[in-house]
Amino acid sequence: MELKQPYLLFLGDAADSLAAKVAQGIKTWRPEACMGQIRLENCHADVGLKDVTIQEAAKAGAKTLVIGVANRGGIISKEWVSVLLEALDAGMDLAAGLHNRLNDIPELVESAARNGCKLYDVRFPTQTYPVASGKKRSGKRVLTVGTDCSVGKMYTSLAIEKELKDRGVDADFRATGQTGILISGAGVSADAVVADFISGAIETISPANSDGHWDVIEGQGSLFHASFAGVTTGLIHGAQADALVLCHEPTRTHMRGLPEYALPGLKECMERNIATASLTNPKVQFVGVSINTSGLEEKAALEYMDKVESELGLPVVDPFRQGVARIVDRLLEL
Amino acid sequence: MELKQPYLLFLGDAADSLAAKVAQGIKTWRPEACMGQIRLENCHADVGLKDVTIQEAAKAGAKTLVIGVANRGGIISKEWVSVLLEALDAGMDLAAGLHNRLNDIPELVESAARNGCKLYDVRFPTQTYPVASGKKRSGKRVLTVGTDCSVGKMYTSLAIEKELKDRGVDADFRATGQTGILISGAGVSADAVVADFISGAIETISPANSDGHWDVIEGQGSLFHASFAGVTTGLIHGAQADALVLCHEPTRTHMRGLPEYALPGLKECMERNIATASLTNPKVQFVGVSINTSGLEEKAALEYMDKVESELGLPVVDPFRQGVARIVDRLLEL
């Protein structure tokens, strides 16, 4: 799967900017891939692209309409469908990371077939993956891991990819979740793969590469998450990472969705990740810690990061506040 | 899913007794569920049940024909299909744990629908499972874990269930692989579940129970298997085991299917399993070690087990040679 660019971002009837965060992510990390946005009348989001009609977008060469908005109540409304049909008639593919599938809407399936276009439901893998071989692959890999789900692994990974590319280092972000896939146009939704093939899927999306090349692999979940640690384990083993970056959100009071479960300590979490990752790459090491300090005032954030840095002896940054340059410095010393 | 008993075991054209090991397992562990066997002309296996025709089996009340033989080259032959159609016409359900599905053979699907019978492909889950809650459940649980795949986890689990029942303890084997499902008539093929739901599937098949009840949960894979450790991790977290039994095959020279990977040491393997299982049950402990010594002469086997027992301070048995009574003694002390 490889989504065709340039993208037209569909913001639909987003209730606020948070509802359009997928579109915002694509615009932030792949501005060169985005040719415009399309919004319905009652849209309250704006990612700062030119507003275009389907016809204008098609003339300007848009190849894929990407649904960059979370739909309310899991229903794809009639208003959405009429825009999507217009895009198909104009020859565009459609891509979405929603829980409900484009491929389950008969009118879209029929129109796509008639127009020779594709419908990509990136949350659901369509290809089969092999069982992981565990064989060492050439090229270098860095993987983000976390104390919990939703603590900034995708953002940190994309920031590391950008910093590497800005320095002229050959690098590729490898997406393992639906938003990451829509941003980069490829990848696998690791949690939606059949369990036997988690590691094999990661081996597949991060194939052997040239010696100086870095894959920046988006992590998922946490080894300490009682619902999802199986996915995390398989992902870590498939990644064969040379370097790990720990991601953490310091105001979290319990594991996401699990009120009975406390977050692990950072050192404990790092030790467990090293123990797990060592199976497929005995030389793995941490090169930094990425803290999502959006829940803290700047002074408290800086104090917290200073404390963690002195405790762990690794570069500690908030990628949003300070960028990941110090982590990438350490990475390139490997 | 719950397979209806009694079973008629189909041995087909098994090339040797190994090819019919699924049927043998069902006969060994659920003799009371088996009313007979059916063999084609060139069958070289015999599990010691009465040979019956489909008509005789139907008259005697057989409810499910279970395919207890591995098919050659992944093809379900015409000879097989004619027997299976006859069974459906006689009102029996069909159950199989093959890689190729009964549900992919149109004649069987059509006949099952016409006769009001079911086709169970137990390798492939048909129900959806919830995301694991991680919430403590009542009742007690023992889980088999291993240094590698295929080292005797199912056999050990079934032996523990039998020993518990023989002592009048309320216990249930909980199957997590296709052979175990065919033996017990229920369960989930853990490696075939969508990755997000591994732990949730195990929580589902081992629900809350009375305080004195033991679930004996069949483990899968190994935390040290680079292809499958994600499945193992999710299974361990969903199991919330109070007790673990380590399974090992001492003549294995490398991890199954992975020539580059050595087996872990027993102590290392136990420590990693305790660390993983502690997340959802901090009181978890090992109660024994089960060694598959089929590759050793008796003297060497006994010496090896003595050595391991003195090193680990736990009951060490080969369930096939000595039974699991000593492990169950330790289990019931908890």
Side-chain angles (χ1 to χ4, degrees):
Chain A
M1 189 205 61
E2 189 97 30
L3 306 181
K4 280 186 277 181
Q5 297 177 349
Y7 295 156
L8 168 63
L9 301 185
F10 179 68
L11 276 59
D13 43 5
D16 53 25
S17 42
L18 195 62
K21 71 176 181 177
V22 171
Q24 186 60 58
I26 301 172
K27 163 65 177 5
T28 301
W29 296 109
R30 293 291 185 270
E32 73 287 359
C34 304
M35 59 74 55
Q37 65 185 19
I38 189 160
R39 300 188 288 167
L40 298 177
E41 250 182 35
N42 51 346
C43 181
H44 296 274
D46 182 354
V47 301
L49 290 165
K50 193 178 162 193
D51 284 293
V52 293
T53 64
I54 293 288
Q55 291 313 319
E56 289 165 352
K59 260 191 211 153
K63 293 280 190 293
T64 306
L65 180 146
V66 179
I67 297 183
V69 53
N71 57 338
R72 291 175 233 184
I75 290 157
I76 296 184
S77 67
K78 278 189 187 169
E79 288 74 21
W80 281 31
V81 171
S82 75
V83 178
L84 303 182
L85 288 170
E86 201 186 337
L88 290 167
D89 282 335
M92 292 180 219
D93 295 337
L94 305 182
L98 305 172
H99 274 287
N100 36 2
R101 306 179 200 221
L102 301 174
N103 281 292
D104 284 341
I105 301 175
E107 316 167 62
L108 297 181
V109 173
E110 184 278 321
S111 171
R114 184 162 34 82
N115 288 299
C117 300
K118 292 196 168 134
L119 304 179
Y120 293 103
D121 288 302
V122 304
R123 194 183 283 264
F124 306 94
T126 48
Q127 75 173 99
T128 55
Y129 294 95
V131 164
S133 74
K135 285 195 181 124
K136 173 91 182 140
R137 317 193 286 288
S138 54
K140 293 172 188 164
R141 286 164 190 86
V142 54
L143 169 69
T144 47
V145 296
T147 51
D148 195 1
C149 304
S150 306
V151 292
K153 290 184 283 286
M154 184 188 80
Y155 191 98
T156 303
S157 303
L158 285 159
I160 291 171
E161 182 207 36
K162 184 169 190 307
E163 180 72 21
L164 284 167
K165 287 189 164 171
D166 286 351
R167 297 187 190 190
V169 179
D170 196 12
D172 283 296
F173 169 75
R174 301 300 186 185
T176 60
Q178 65 272 9
T179 303
I181 296 171
L182 291 175
I183 290 172
S184 66
V188 65
S189 210
D191 58 10
V193 168
V194 169
D196 241 1
F197 307 107
I198 309 169
S199 301
I202 305 305
E203 289 186 353
T204 303
I205 65 159
S206 171
N209 217 314
S210 56
D211 287 344
H213 179 276
W214 280 95
D215 265 348
V216 186
I217 303 174
E218 177 192 10
Q220 293 292 336
S222 164
L223 291 178
F224 291 83
H225 198 292
S227 313
F228 305 124
V231 175
T232 309
T233 301
L235 196 162
I236 289 172
H237 286 159
Q240 300 181 0
D242 303 285
L244 299 175
V245 175
L246 180 68
C247 300
H248 179 56
E249 204 281 72
T251 67
R252 208 56 72 89
T253 54
H254 60 75
M255 295 297 285
R256 191 171 163 87
L258 302 177
E260 291 90 350
Y261 286 82
L263 267 77
L266 299 189
K267 268 194 186 160
E268 180 189 13
C269 187
M270 288 168 66
E271 284 165 9
R272 189 72 64 84
N273 274 282
I274 288 288
T276 301
S278 297
L279 182 71
T280 56
N281 190 341
K283 291 186 179 165
V284 62
Q285 57 182 277
F286 273 93
V287 294
V289 180
S290 170
I291 310 279
N292 175 349
T293 62
S294 57
L296 297 175
E297 297 292 333
E298 184 163 16
K299 183 160 174 288
L302 296 175
E303 281 173 7
Y304 176 82
M305 288 191 281
D306 274 354
K307 184 172 136 280
V308 174
E309 179 145 350
S310 67
E311 279 169 15
L312 300 180
L314 285 170
V316 177
V317 303
D318 180 331
F320 191 79
R321 291 185 195 263
Q322 304 144 322
V324 292
R326 293 179 57 233
I327 292 178
V328 169
D329 288 346
R330 181 70 70 102
L331 187 71
L332 295 177
E333 285 168 16
L334 288 191
Chain B
M1 188 207 60
E2 191 96 29
L3 307 181
K4 280 186 275 179
Q5 297 178 347
Y7 296 156
L8 168 62
L9 301 186
F10 179 69
L11 275 59
D13 43 5
D16 52 26
S17 43
L18 195 64
K21 69 176 182 178
V22 171
Q24 187 60 59
I26 301 172
K27 163 64 177 6
T28 301
W29 297 108
R30 293 291 184 269
E32 73 287 358
C34 303
M35 59 73 58
Q37 66 186 16
I38 190 161
R39 301 188 288 167
L40 298 176
E41 250 182 33
N42 50 346
C43 181
H44 295 275
D46 181 353
V47 301
L49 290 165
K50 193 180 161 193
D51 284 293
V52 293
T53 64
I54 293 287
Q55 292 312 319
E56 288 165 352
K59 260 191 211 153
K63 293 280 190 293
T64 305
L65 180 146
V66 179
I67 297 183
V69 52
N71 56 339
R72 291 175 233 185
I75 289 157
I76 297 184
S77 66
K78 276 190 189 169
E79 288 74 20
W80 281 31
V81 170
S82 76
V83 178
L84 303 182
L85 287 171
E86 202 186 337
L88 290 167
D89 281 336
M92 291 179 220
D93 295 338
L94 305 182
L98 306 171
H99 274 288
N100 37 2
R101 307 179 199 220
L102 301 173
N103 282 291
D104 284 341
I105 301 177
E107 316 166 63
L108 297 182
V109 173
E110 185 277 320
S111 171
R114 184 162 33 82
N115 287 299
C117 299
K118 293 197 167 135
L119 305 179
Y120 293 103
D121 289 301
V122 304
R123 194 182 283 264
F124 306 95
T126 49
Q127 74 172 100
T128 55
Y129 293 96
V131 164
S133 73
K135 286 195 180 122
K136 173 90 182 140
R137 316 194 285 290
S138 54
K140 293 172 187 165
R141 286 164 190 85
V142 53
L143 169 69
T144 47
V145 297
T147 51
D148 195 1
C149 304
S150 307
V151 292
K153 292 185 282 285
M154 185 189 78
Y155 191 97
T156 303
S157 303
L158 285 159
I160 291 172
E161 183 207 35
K162 184 168 189 309
E163 180 72 20
L164 285 167
K165 287 189 164 171
D166 286 351
R167 296 188 190 191
V169 179
D170 196 14
D172 282 297
F173 169 74
R174 302 299 187 186
T176 61
Q178 64 273 7
T179 303
I181 296 172
L182 291 175
I183 290 172
S184 67
V188 65
S189 210
D191 58 9
V193 168
V194 169
D196 242 1
F197 307 107
I198 310 169
S199 301
I202 305 305
E203 289 186 353
T204 303
I205 64 159
S206 172
N209 217 313
S210 55
D211 287 345
H213 179 277
W214 280 95
D215 265 349
V216 186
I217 304 174
E218 177 192 11
Q220 293 292 336
S222 165
L223 291 178
F224 291 83
H225 198 292
S227 312
F228 305 124
V231 175
T232 309
T233 301
L235 197 163
I236 290 173
H237 286 159
Q240 300 181 1
D242 303 284
L244 299 176
V245 174
L246 180 67
C247 301
H248 179 57
E249 204 281 74
T251 68
R252 208 57 73 86
T253 54
H254 60 74
M255 296 296 285
R256 191 171 163 86
L258 303 176
E260 290 91 349
Y261 287 83
L263 267 77
L266 299 189
K267 268 195 187 161
E268 180 189 14
C269 186
M270 288 168 68
E271 284 165 9
R272 189 71 64 82
N273 274 282
I274 289 287
T276 301
S278 297
L279 183 72
T280 57
N281 190 343
K283 291 183 179 167
V284 63
Q285 57 182 278
F286 272 93
V287 294
V289 180
S290 170
I291 310 279
N292 176 349
T293 63
S294 57
L296 298 176
E297 298 292 334
E298 184 164 15
K299 183 160 173 289
L302 296 176
E303 282 173 6
Y304 177 81
M305 288 191 279
D306 273 353
K307 183 171 136 281
V308 174
E309 178 145 348
S310 66
E311 279 170 15
L312 300 179
L314 284 170
V316 177
V317 304
D318 180 331
F320 191 79
R321 290 186 196 263
Q322 303 144 323
V324 292
R326 293 179 58 232
I327 292 178
V328 169
D329 288 345
R330 181 70 69 104
L331 187 71
L332 294 178
E333 285 168 16
L334 287 191

